[in-house]
Amino acid sequence: ESNSTQKTKRSSHEQFEKILENSLEFLSLMTYYRSAIREVETKFQILADESTLLNDRNPINDIQTRLKSPQSILDKLERKNLKISTENIEQEIFDVAGIRVVCPFIDDIDRLANAFLEQDDIVLINKKDYIRNPKPNGYRSLHLIVEVPIFLMHEKKMMKIEVQLRTIAMEFWAS
């Protein structure tokens, strides 16, 4: 083989390796986000269990979770004029992982949000109260961006997740 053919093969091999490395990085990151979703979902289920025990009723009607699709993540990076990298996904996009907690009443939202945020391993990054300050289109919900620890084999990692709390009526309106 000629020298240039070997270089081309090596170059395309290196590019392929880079794609694999990045996809492994991306797959790992998505696994971390799924773990963060499970952590937060469990925290809310425990709060619901305790409330049912103490108050004889469950303050949670439904819990929905979602992980942004790769395409949606890419679109958001482009909208923010950011380079495509796992670092930018982790540092600049706060809603890759999401959980929606649907409650019967606004009081339930306030009680759950406060109890959740009082937990010593939850770090509040941002809070937007669209319940008391609805969006111009009428949308209402409480949005929390939090960091939650996930425990891996050899490390603890803080992951950002968006938590939305709304009532059944707000959920019905939004859909």
Side-chain angles (χ1 to χ4, degrees):
E1 289 180 44
S2 73
N3 213 9
S4 67
T5 308
Q6 285 178 333
K7 279 183 183 170
T8 305
K9 276 186 178 177
R10 193 168 40 247
S11 171
S12 63
H13 182 72
E14 286 167 3
Q15 285 176 334
F16 185 68
E17 253 180 37
K18 195 88 176 138
I19 290 167
L20 278 180
E21 280 173 17
N22 287 336
S23 68
L24 183 59
E25 243 179 87
F26 181 77
L27 290 173
S28 295
L29 186 59
M30 293 303 107
T31 298
Y32 301 156
Y33 280 118
R34 269 191 296 281
S35 299
I37 288 170
R38 281 197 297 271
E39 287 283 342
V40 172
E41 186 173 16
T42 300
K43 285 177 172 293
F44 278 106
Q45 287 168 340
I46 291 167
L47 290 172
D49 290 348
E50 183 184 22
S51 184
T52 301
L53 192 64
L54 299 176
N55 304 319
D56 208 27
R57 72 176 196 84
N58 189 339
I60 296 177
N61 188 63
D62 188 30
I63 296 178
Q64 304 151 17
T65 63
R66 69 121 182 88
L67 195 60
K68 256 191 194 306
S69 71
Q71 187 60 57
S72 182
I73 292 168
L74 286 175
D75 293 346
K76 195 152 198 176
L77 286 171
E78 284 176 6
R79 275 196 310 278
K80 290 180 159 218
N81 292 317
L82 295 168
K83 189 170 95 47
I84 297 167
S85 72
T86 51
E87 292 81 24
N88 279 341
I89 294 168
E90 215 173 336
Q91 298 305 315
E92 303 293 334
I93 302 180
F94 300 154
D95 64 343
V96 173
I99 185 163
R100 181 176 300 138
V101 180
V102 182
C103 303
F105 306 105
I106 290 175
D107 287 353
D108 296 324
I109 291 172
D110 294 334
R111 211 171 15 265
L112 278 172
N114 290 335
F116 174 70
L117 292 172
E118 282 172 12
Q119 295 182 12
D120 65 6
D121 59 346
I122 296 294
V123 179
L124 178 65
I125 305 288
N126 194 354
K127 179 179 182 177
K128 289 186 181 162
D129 189 344
Y130 298 117
I131 294 173
R132 278 130 194 112
N133 306 297
K135 287 187 173 184
N137 67 3
Y139 175 85
R140 296 176 72 202
S141 186
L142 178 66
H143 288 217
L144 308 171
I145 303 293
V146 298
E147 269 189 337
V148 60
I150 61 166
F151 297 89
L152 306 166
M153 280 202 225
H154 303 292
E155 68 175 317
K156 174 174 97 172
K157 193 164 177 49
M158 296 300 287
M159 298 301 298
K160 290 179 186 77
I161 181 168
E162 180 185 52
V163 178
Q164 294 179 4
L165 295 109
R166 57 173 72 151
T167 63
I168 299 165
M170 291 170 199
E171 173 72 0
F172 180 77
W173 184 92
S175 59

